[in-house]
PDB file of all heavy atoms in Angstrom:
ATOM      1  N   ALA A  13      -9.420  16.701 -29.945  1.00  0.00           N
ATOM      2  CA  ALA A  13      -9.453  15.441 -29.200  1.00  0.00           C
ATOM      3  C   ALA A  13      -8.553  15.588 -27.988  1.00  0.00           C
ATOM      4  O   ALA A  13      -7.479  16.177 -28.080  1.00  0.00           O
ATOM      5  CB  ALA A  13      -8.976  14.282 -30.072  1.00  0.00           C
ATOM      6  N   VAL A  14      -9.005  15.091 -26.847  1.00  0.00           N
ATOM      7  CA  VAL A  14      -8.238  15.173 -25.612  1.00  0.00           C
ATOM      8  C   VAL A  14      -7.517  13.850 -25.391  1.00  0.00           C
ATOM      9  O   VAL A  14      -8.142  12.799 -25.296  1.00  0.00           O
ATOM     10  CB  VAL A  14      -9.150  15.497 -24.422  1.00  0.00           C
ATOM     11  CG1 VAL A  14      -8.341  15.555 -23.135  1.00  0.00           C
ATOM     12  CG2 VAL A  14      -9.873  16.811 -24.654  1.00  0.00           C
ATOM     13  N   VAL A  15      -6.206  13.912 -25.333  1.00  0.00           N
ATOM     14  CA  VAL A  15      -5.387  12.712 -25.212  1.00  0.00           C
ATOM     15  C   VAL A  15      -4.788  12.645 -23.807  1.00  0.00           C
ATOM     16  O   VAL A  15      -4.021  13.516 -23.417  1.00  0.00           O
ATOM     17  CB  VAL A  15      -4.253  12.704 -26.255  1.00  0.00           C
ATOM     18  CG1 VAL A  15      -3.454  11.418 -26.155  1.00  0.00           C
ATOM     19  CG2 VAL A  15      -4.828  12.873 -27.654  1.00  0.00           C
ATOM     20  N   GLN A  16      -5.165  11.646 -23.033  1.00  0.00           N
ATOM     21  CA  GLN A  16      -4.611  11.433 -21.702  1.00  0.00           C
ATOM     22  C   GLN A  16      -3.379  10.534 -21.774  1.00  0.00           C
ATOM     23  O   GLN A  16      -3.202   9.792 -22.733  1.00  0.00           O
ATOM     24  CB  GLN A  16      -5.641  10.748 -20.795  1.00  0.00           C
ATOM     25  CG  GLN A  16      -6.696  11.663 -20.217  1.00  0.00           C
ATOM     26  CD  GLN A  16      -7.511  10.930 -19.167  1.00  0.00           C
ATOM     27  OE1 GLN A  16      -7.821   9.754 -19.341  1.00  0.00           O
ATOM     28  NE2 GLN A  16      -7.851  11.604 -18.106  1.00  0.00           N
ATOM     29  N   PRO A  17      -2.525  10.606 -20.733  1.00  0.00           N
ATOM     30  CA  PRO A  17      -1.465   9.606 -20.654  1.00  0.00           C
ATOM     31  C   PRO A  17      -2.080   8.211 -20.590  1.00  0.00           C
ATOM     32  O   PRO A  17      -3.219   8.050 -20.141  1.00  0.00           O
ATOM     33  CB  PRO A  17      -0.748   9.962 -19.338  1.00  0.00           C
ATOM     34  CG  PRO A  17      -1.054  11.404 -19.118  1.00  0.00           C
ATOM     35  CD  PRO A  17      -2.431  11.616 -19.658  1.00  0.00           C
ATOM     36  N   SER A  18      -1.342   7.216 -21.007  1.00  0.00           N
ATOM     37  CA  SER A  18      -1.866   5.855 -20.997  1.00  0.00           C
ATOM     38  C   SER A  18      -2.153   5.408 -19.573  1.00  0.00           C
ATOM     39  O   SER A  18      -1.613   5.949 -18.600  1.00  0.00           O
ATOM     40  CB  SER A  18      -0.853   4.907 -21.638  1.00  0.00           C
ATOM     41  OG  SER A  18       0.301   4.788 -20.812  1.00  0.00           O
ATOM     42  N   LEU A  19      -3.020   4.399 -19.451  1.00  0.00           N
ATOM     43  CA  LEU A  19      -3.349   3.875 -18.125  1.00  0.00           C
ATOM     44  C   LEU A  19      -2.098   3.356 -17.431  1.00  0.00           C
ATOM     45  O   LEU A  19      -1.913   3.554 -16.224  1.00  0.00           O
ATOM     46  CB  LEU A  19      -4.386   2.754 -18.246  1.00  0.00           C
ATOM     47  CG  LEU A  19      -4.793   2.080 -16.931  1.00  0.00           C
ATOM     48  CD1 LEU A  19      -5.405   3.087 -15.963  1.00  0.00           C
ATOM     49  CD2 LEU A  19      -5.750   0.923 -17.191  1.00  0.00           C
ATOM     50  N   LEU A  20      -1.208   2.703 -18.188  1.00  0.00           N
ATOM     51  CA  LEU A  20       0.026   2.185 -17.594  1.00  0.00           C
ATOM     52  C   LEU A  20       0.879   3.314 -17.027  1.00  0.00           C
ATOM     53  O   LEU A  20       1.433   3.204 -15.923  1.00  0.00           O
ATOM     54  CB  LEU A  20       0.820   1.400 -18.641  1.00  0.00           C
ATOM     55  CG  LEU A  20       2.095   0.704 -18.134  1.00  0.00           C
ATOM     56  CD1 LEU A  20       1.747  -0.312 -17.049  1.00  0.00           C
ATOM     57  CD2 LEU A  20       2.815   0.016 -19.288  1.00  0.00           C
ATOM     58  N   ALA A  21       0.957   4.426 -17.743  1.00  0.00           N
ATOM     59  CA  ALA A  21       1.733   5.566 -17.257  1.00  0.00           C
ATOM     60  C   ALA A  21       1.110   6.143 -16.002  1.00  0.00           C
ATOM     61  O   ALA A  21       1.810   6.500 -15.041  1.00  0.00           O
ATOM     62  CB  ALA A  21       1.820   6.637 -18.346  1.00  0.00           C
ATOM     63  N   ARG A  22      -0.210   6.241 -15.979  1.00  0.00           N
ATOM     64  CA  ARG A  22      -0.884   6.795 -14.807  1.00  0.00           C
ATOM     65  C   ARG A  22      -0.739   5.886 -13.592  1.00  0.00           C
ATOM     66  O   ARG A  22      -0.527   6.355 -12.468  1.00  0.00           O
ATOM     67  CB  ARG A  22      -2.359   7.033 -15.126  1.00  0.00           C
ATOM     68  CG  ARG A  22      -2.574   8.246 -16.025  1.00  0.00           C
ATOM     69  CD  ARG A  22      -4.044   8.481 -16.301  1.00  0.00           C
ATOM     70  NE  ARG A  22      -4.543   7.580 -17.324  1.00  0.00           N
ATOM     71  CZ  ARG A  22      -5.739   6.995 -17.298  1.00  0.00           C
ATOM     72  NH1 ARG A  22      -6.545   7.191 -16.275  1.00  0.00           N
ATOM     73  NH2 ARG A  22      -6.121   6.222 -18.282  1.00  0.00           N
ATOM     74  N   LEU A  23      -0.820   4.585 -13.807  1.00  0.00           N
ATOM     75  CA  LEU A  23      -0.643   3.649 -12.694  1.00  0.00           C
ATOM     76  C   LEU A  23       0.792   3.691 -12.175  1.00  0.00           C
ATOM     77  O   LEU A  23       1.023   3.610 -10.962  1.00  0.00           O
ATOM     78  CB  LEU A  23      -1.021   2.234 -13.132  1.00  0.00           C
ATOM     79  CG  LEU A  23      -2.488   2.010 -13.511  1.00  0.00           C
ATOM     80  CD1 LEU A  23      -2.734   0.552 -13.853  1.00  0.00           C
ATOM     81  CD2 LEU A  23      -3.415   2.457 -12.396  1.00  0.00           C
ATOM     82  N   GLY A  24       1.751   3.811 -13.090  1.00  0.00           N
ATOM     83  CA  GLY A  24       3.143   3.940 -12.662  1.00  0.00           C
ATOM     84  C   GLY A  24       3.362   5.179 -11.814  1.00  0.00           C
ATOM     85  O   GLY A  24       4.090   5.155 -10.813  1.00  0.00           O
ATOM     86  N   ALA A  25       2.704   6.280 -12.194  1.00  0.00           N
ATOM     87  CA  ALA A  25       2.809   7.509 -11.415  1.00  0.00           C
ATOM     88  C   ALA A  25       2.196   7.343 -10.038  1.00  0.00           C
ATOM     89  O   ALA A  25       2.721   7.852  -9.039  1.00  0.00           O
ATOM     90  CB  ALA A  25       2.135   8.658 -12.167  1.00  0.00           C
ATOM     91  N   GLU A  26       1.096   6.613  -9.959  1.00  0.00           N
ATOM     92  CA  GLU A  26       0.452   6.382  -8.659  1.00  0.00           C
ATOM     93  C   GLU A  26       1.304   5.482  -7.765  1.00  0.00           C
ATOM     94  O   GLU A  26       1.380   5.696  -6.552  1.00  0.00           O
ATOM     95  CB  GLU A  26      -0.931   5.767  -8.862  1.00  0.00           C
ATOM     96  CG  GLU A  26      -1.970   6.749  -9.344  1.00  0.00           C
ATOM     97  CD  GLU A  26      -2.236   7.856  -8.341  1.00  0.00           C
ATOM     98  OE1 GLU A  26      -2.647   7.555  -7.200  1.00  0.00           O
ATOM     99  OE2 GLU A  26      -2.017   9.033  -8.685  1.00  0.00           O
ATOM    100  N   VAL A  27       1.939   4.476  -8.350  1.00  0.00           N
ATOM    101  CA  VAL A  27       2.849   3.624  -7.570  1.00  0.00           C
ATOM    102  C   VAL A  27       3.982   4.467  -7.002  1.00  0.00           C
ATOM    103  O   VAL A  27       4.305   4.391  -5.805  1.00  0.00           O
ATOM    104  CB  VAL A  27       3.413   2.478  -8.440  1.00  0.00           C
ATOM    105  CG1 VAL A  27       4.531   1.751  -7.695  1.00  0.00           C
ATOM    106  CG2 VAL A  27       2.303   1.487  -8.803  1.00  0.00           C
ATOM    107  N   PHE A  28       4.589   5.285  -7.853  1.00  0.00           N
ATOM    108  CA  PHE A  28       5.697   6.119  -7.407  1.00  0.00           C
ATOM    109  C   PHE A  28       5.265   7.100  -6.331  1.00  0.00           C
ATOM    110  O   PHE A  28       5.917   7.240  -5.282  1.00  0.00           O
ATOM    111  CB  PHE A  28       6.285   6.885  -8.593  1.00  0.00           C
ATOM    112  CG  PHE A  28       7.235   7.981  -8.180  1.00  0.00           C
ATOM    113  CD1 PHE A  28       8.533   7.688  -7.784  1.00  0.00           C
ATOM    114  CD2 PHE A  28       6.821   9.309  -8.155  1.00  0.00           C
ATOM    115  CE1 PHE A  28       9.401   8.692  -7.376  1.00  0.00           C
ATOM    116  CE2 PHE A  28       7.683  10.316  -7.757  1.00  0.00           C
ATOM    117  CZ  PHE A  28       8.972  10.007  -7.356  1.00  0.00           C
ATOM    118  N   GLY A  29       4.172   7.819  -6.568  1.00  0.00           N
ATOM    119  CA  GLY A  29       3.727   8.833  -5.621  1.00  0.00           C
ATOM    120  C   GLY A  29       3.348   8.248  -4.276  1.00  0.00           C
ATOM    121  O   GLY A  29       3.683   8.811  -3.223  1.00  0.00           O
ATOM    122  N   THR A  30       2.639   7.109  -4.283  1.00  0.00           N
ATOM    123  CA  THR A  30       2.247   6.475  -3.019  1.00  0.00           C
ATOM    124  C   THR A  30       3.462   5.907  -2.303  1.00  0.00           C
ATOM    125  O   THR A  30       3.568   5.972  -1.068  1.00  0.00           O
ATOM    126  CB  THR A  30       1.215   5.367  -3.272  1.00  0.00           C
ATOM    127  OG1 THR A  30       0.169   5.866  -4.115  1.00  0.00           O
ATOM    128  CG2 THR A  30       0.613   4.887  -1.965  1.00  0.00           C
ATOM    129  N   PHE A  31       4.385   5.339  -3.065  1.00  0.00           N
ATOM    130  CA  PHE A  31       5.642   4.839  -2.483  1.00  0.00           C
ATOM    131  C   PHE A  31       6.371   5.973  -1.749  1.00  0.00           C
ATOM    132  O   PHE A  31       6.798   5.818  -0.599  1.00  0.00           O
ATOM    133  CB  PHE A  31       6.524   4.271  -3.589  1.00  0.00           C
ATOM    134  CG  PHE A  31       7.908   3.885  -3.142  1.00  0.00           C
ATOM    135  CD1 PHE A  31       8.159   2.632  -2.611  1.00  0.00           C
ATOM    136  CD2 PHE A  31       8.969   4.783  -3.260  1.00  0.00           C
ATOM    137  CE1 PHE A  31       9.432   2.273  -2.187  1.00  0.00           C
ATOM    138  CE2 PHE A  31      10.241   4.439  -2.846  1.00  0.00           C
ATOM    139  CZ  PHE A  31      10.470   3.177  -2.300  1.00  0.00           C
ATOM    140  N   PHE A  32       6.505   7.102  -2.401  1.00  0.00           N
ATOM    141  CA  PHE A  32       7.201   8.246  -1.824  1.00  0.00           C
ATOM    142  C   PHE A  32       6.497   8.731  -0.559  1.00  0.00           C
ATOM    143  O   PHE A  32       7.120   8.973   0.482  1.00  0.00           O
ATOM    144  CB  PHE A  32       7.272   9.362  -2.873  1.00  0.00           C
ATOM    145  CG  PHE A  32       8.073  10.560  -2.466  1.00  0.00           C
ATOM    146  CD1 PHE A  32       8.915  10.548  -1.356  1.00  0.00           C
ATOM    147  CD2 PHE A  32       7.979  11.727  -3.210  1.00  0.00           C
ATOM    148  CE1 PHE A  32       9.653  11.667  -0.996  1.00  0.00           C
ATOM    149  CE2 PHE A  32       8.708  12.850  -2.859  1.00  0.00           C
ATOM    150  CZ  PHE A  32       9.547  12.816  -1.746  1.00  0.00           C
ATOM    151  N   LEU A  33       5.176   8.866  -0.628  1.00  0.00           N
ATOM    152  CA  LEU A  33       4.402   9.366   0.505  1.00  0.00           C
ATOM    153  C   LEU A  33       4.506   8.442   1.712  1.00  0.00           C
ATOM    154  O   LEU A  33       4.769   8.891   2.836  1.00  0.00           O
ATOM    155  CB  LEU A  33       2.935   9.522   0.084  1.00  0.00           C
ATOM    156  CG  LEU A  33       1.963   9.988   1.159  1.00  0.00           C
ATOM    157  CD1 LEU A  33       2.332  11.380   1.660  1.00  0.00           C
ATOM    158  CD2 LEU A  33       0.528   9.975   0.612  1.00  0.00           C
ATOM    159  N   VAL A  34       4.314   7.152   1.498  1.00  0.00           N
ATOM    160  CA  VAL A  34       4.354   6.187   2.597  1.00  0.00           C
ATOM    161  C   VAL A  34       5.773   6.032   3.135  1.00  0.00           C
ATOM    162  O   VAL A  34       5.989   5.902   4.348  1.00  0.00           O
ATOM    163  CB  VAL A  34       3.779   4.831   2.140  1.00  0.00           C
ATOM    164  CG1 VAL A  34       3.945   3.767   3.225  1.00  0.00           C
ATOM    165  CG2 VAL A  34       2.300   4.996   1.778  1.00  0.00           C
ATOM    166  N   LEU A  35       6.757   6.058   2.246  1.00  0.00           N
ATOM    167  CA  LEU A  35       8.151   5.981   2.678  1.00  0.00           C
ATOM    168  C   LEU A  35       8.480   7.127   3.632  1.00  0.00           C
ATOM    169  O   LEU A  35       9.146   6.927   4.656  1.00  0.00           O
ATOM    170  CB  LEU A  35       9.074   6.031   1.466  1.00  0.00           C
ATOM    171  CG  LEU A  35      10.573   5.848   1.738  1.00  0.00           C
ATOM    172  CD1 LEU A  35      10.880   4.388   2.056  1.00  0.00           C
ATOM    173  CD2 LEU A  35      11.392   6.302   0.522  1.00  0.00           C
ATOM    174  N   ALA A  36       8.000   8.325   3.313  1.00  0.00           N
ATOM    175  CA  ALA A  36       8.290   9.490   4.155  1.00  0.00           C
ATOM    176  C   ALA A  36       7.585   9.402   5.498  1.00  0.00           C
ATOM    177  O   ALA A  36       8.201   9.611   6.558  1.00  0.00           O
ATOM    178  CB  ALA A  36       7.876  10.764   3.420  1.00  0.00           C
ATOM    179  N   ILE A  37       6.293   9.078   5.490  1.00  0.00           N
ATOM    180  CA  ILE A  37       5.522   9.073   6.738  1.00  0.00           C
ATOM    181  C   ILE A  37       5.979   7.957   7.671  1.00  0.00           C
ATOM    182  O   ILE A  37       6.317   8.193   8.837  1.00  0.00           O
ATOM    183  CB  ILE A  37       4.019   8.933   6.428  1.00  0.00           C
ATOM    184  CG1 ILE A  37       3.510  10.188   5.726  1.00  0.00           C
ATOM    185  CG2 ILE A  37       3.233   8.690   7.716  1.00  0.00           C
ATOM    186  CD1 ILE A  37       2.056  10.102   5.275  1.00  0.00           C
ATOM    187  N   ILE A  38       6.001   6.733   7.165  1.00  0.00           N
ATOM    188  CA  ILE A  38       6.378   5.606   8.027  1.00  0.00           C
ATOM    189  C   ILE A  38       7.874   5.641   8.330  1.00  0.00           C
ATOM    190  O   ILE A  38       8.307   5.293   9.432  1.00  0.00           O
ATOM    191  CB  ILE A  38       5.979   4.269   7.377  1.00  0.00           C
ATOM    192  CG1 ILE A  38       4.457   4.219   7.180  1.00  0.00           C
ATOM    193  CG2 ILE A  38       6.440   3.093   8.231  1.00  0.00           C
ATOM    194  CD1 ILE A  38       3.967   2.927   6.561  1.00  0.00           C
ATOM    195  N   GLY A  39       8.663   6.073   7.350  1.00  0.00           N
ATOM    196  CA  GLY A  39      10.108   6.125   7.569  1.00  0.00           C
ATOM    197  C   GLY A  39      10.493   7.057   8.697  1.00  0.00           C
ATOM    198  O   GLY A  39      11.372   6.738   9.516  1.00  0.00           O
ATOM    199  N   VAL A  40       9.847   8.213   8.780  1.00  0.00           N
ATOM    200  CA  VAL A  40      10.128   9.142   9.880  1.00  0.00           C
ATOM    201  C   VAL A  40       9.562   8.598  11.189  1.00  0.00           C
ATOM    202  O   VAL A  40      10.218   8.645  12.238  1.00  0.00           O
ATOM    203  CB  VAL A  40       9.548  10.532   9.571  1.00  0.00           C
ATOM    204  CG1 VAL A  40       9.658  11.450  10.785  1.00  0.00           C
ATOM    205  CG2 VAL A  40      10.266  11.161   8.376  1.00  0.00           C
ATOM    206  N   ALA A  41       8.333   8.060  11.133  1.00  0.00           N
ATOM    207  CA  ALA A  41       7.697   7.548  12.354  1.00  0.00           C
ATOM    208  C   ALA A  41       8.423   6.337  12.923  1.00  0.00           C
ATOM    209  O   ALA A  41       8.429   6.119  14.140  1.00  0.00           O
ATOM    210  CB  ALA A  41       6.244   7.181  12.054  1.00  0.00           C
ATOM    211  N   LEU A  42       9.066   5.562  12.072  1.00  0.00           N
ATOM    212  CA  LEU A  42       9.686   4.311  12.494  1.00  0.00           C
ATOM    213  C   LEU A  42      10.827   4.537  13.477  1.00  0.00           C
ATOM    214  O   LEU A  42      11.045   3.733  14.385  1.00  0.00           O
ATOM    215  CB  LEU A  42      10.196   3.556  11.261  1.00  0.00           C
ATOM    216  CG  LEU A  42      10.668   2.121  11.448  1.00  0.00           C
ATOM    217  CD1 LEU A  42       9.526   1.225  11.899  1.00  0.00           C
ATOM    218  CD2 LEU A  42      11.249   1.600  10.135  1.00  0.00           C
ATOM    219  N   TYR A  43      11.546   5.637  13.312  1.00  0.00           N
ATOM    220  CA  TYR A  43      12.744   5.858  14.136  1.00  0.00           C
ATOM    221  C   TYR A  43      12.632   7.100  15.017  1.00  0.00           C
ATOM    222  O   TYR A  43      13.635   7.701  15.379  1.00  0.00           O
ATOM    223  CB  TYR A  43      13.974   5.976  13.227  1.00  0.00           C
ATOM    224  CG  TYR A  43      14.272   4.702  12.467  1.00  0.00           C
ATOM    225  CD1 TYR A  43      14.045   4.629  11.094  1.00  0.00           C
ATOM    226  CD2 TYR A  43      14.749   3.572  13.126  1.00  0.00           C
ATOM    227  CE1 TYR A  43      14.304   3.460  10.399  1.00  0.00           C
ATOM    228  CE2 TYR A  43      15.000   2.396  12.440  1.00  0.00           C
ATOM    229  CZ  TYR A  43      14.776   2.351  11.072  1.00  0.00           C
ATOM    230  OH  TYR A  43      15.029   1.188  10.384  1.00  0.00           O
ATOM    231  N   THR A  44      11.403   7.480  15.362  1.00  0.00           N
ATOM    232  CA  THR A  44      11.244   8.648  16.230  1.00  0.00           C
ATOM    233  C   THR A  44      11.892   8.434  17.591  1.00  0.00           C
ATOM    234  O   THR A  44      12.356   9.377  18.224  1.00  0.00           O
ATOM    235  CB  THR A  44       9.757   8.979  16.430  1.00  0.00           C
ATOM    236  OG1 THR A  44       9.070   7.803  16.872  1.00  0.00           O
ATOM    237  CG2 THR A  44       9.130   9.494  15.161  1.00  0.00           C
ATOM    238  N   PHE A  45      11.935   7.195  18.055  1.00  0.00           N
ATOM    239  CA  PHE A  45      12.547   6.922  19.369  1.00  0.00           C
ATOM    240  C   PHE A  45      14.062   7.109  19.330  1.00  0.00           C
ATOM    241  O   PHE A  45      14.702   7.306  20.361  1.00  0.00           O
ATOM    242  CB  PHE A  45      12.210   5.497  19.833  1.00  0.00           C
ATOM    243  CG  PHE A  45      12.808   4.418  18.976  1.00  0.00           C
ATOM    244  CD1 PHE A  45      14.031   3.858  19.282  1.00  0.00           C
ATOM    245  CD2 PHE A  45      12.133   3.957  17.851  1.00  0.00           C
ATOM    246  CE1 PHE A  45      14.583   2.855  18.501  1.00  0.00           C
ATOM    247  CE2 PHE A  45      12.679   2.957  17.061  1.00  0.00           C
ATOM    248  CZ  PHE A  45      13.906   2.410  17.385  1.00  0.00           C
ATOM    249  N   VAL A  46      14.627   7.052  18.123  1.00  0.00           N
ATOM    250  CA  VAL A  46      16.074   7.255  17.980  1.00  0.00           C
ATOM    251  C   VAL A  46      16.395   8.730  17.788  1.00  0.00           C
ATOM    252  O   VAL A  46      17.279   9.293  18.440  1.00  0.00           O
ATOM    253  CB  VAL A  46      16.623   6.437  16.789  1.00  0.00           C
ATOM    254  CG1 VAL A  46      18.104   6.746  16.572  1.00  0.00           C
ATOM    255  CG2 VAL A  46      16.423   4.943  17.036  1.00  0.00           C
ATOM    256  N   SER A  47      15.645   9.379  16.902  1.00  0.00           N
ATOM    257  CA  SER A  47      15.943  10.767  16.550  1.00  0.00           C
ATOM    258  C   SER A  47      15.275  11.782  17.462  1.00  0.00           C
ATOM    259  O   SER A  47      15.510  12.984  17.334  1.00  0.00           O
ATOM    260  CB  SER A  47      15.492  11.034  15.108  1.00  0.00           C
ATOM    261  OG  SER A  47      14.102  10.780  14.973  1.00  0.00           O
ATOM    262  N   GLN A  48      14.424  11.293  18.368  1.00  0.00           N
ATOM    263  CA  GLN A  48      13.684  12.170  19.280  1.00  0.00           C
ATOM    264  C   GLN A  48      12.791  13.153  18.515  1.00  0.00           C
ATOM    265  O   GLN A  48      12.512  14.248  18.986  1.00  0.00           O
ATOM    266  CB  GLN A  48      14.655  12.945  20.191  1.00  0.00           C
ATOM    267  CG  GLN A  48      15.518  12.065  21.078  1.00  0.00           C
ATOM    268  CD  GLN A  48      14.692  11.161  21.988  1.00  0.00           C
ATOM    269  OE1 GLN A  48      13.798  11.622  22.676  1.00  0.00           O
ATOM    270  NE2 GLN A  48      14.995   9.867  21.977  1.00  0.00           N
TER     271      GLN A  48
END
């Protein structure tokens, strides 16, 4: 039998991963005028 992580665990991982990705992209882009 193939046992996957629970849906709640998978959704939590997606929240974390998307948070990290967007934080990095927008966070760097937000202050490009300061950091050149």
Side-chain angles (χ1 to χ4, degrees):
V14 179
V15 183
Q16 280 189 321
S18 68
L19 178 60
L20 184 61
R22 286 181 281 141
L23 296 183
E26 285 297 300
V27 170
F28 168 78
T30 311
F31 173 87
F32 185 13
L33 178 62
V34 174
L35 185 74
I37 292 175
I38 299 181
V40 172
L42 190 64
Y43 296 108
T44 53
F45 66 93
V46 175
S47 59
Q48 299 302 309

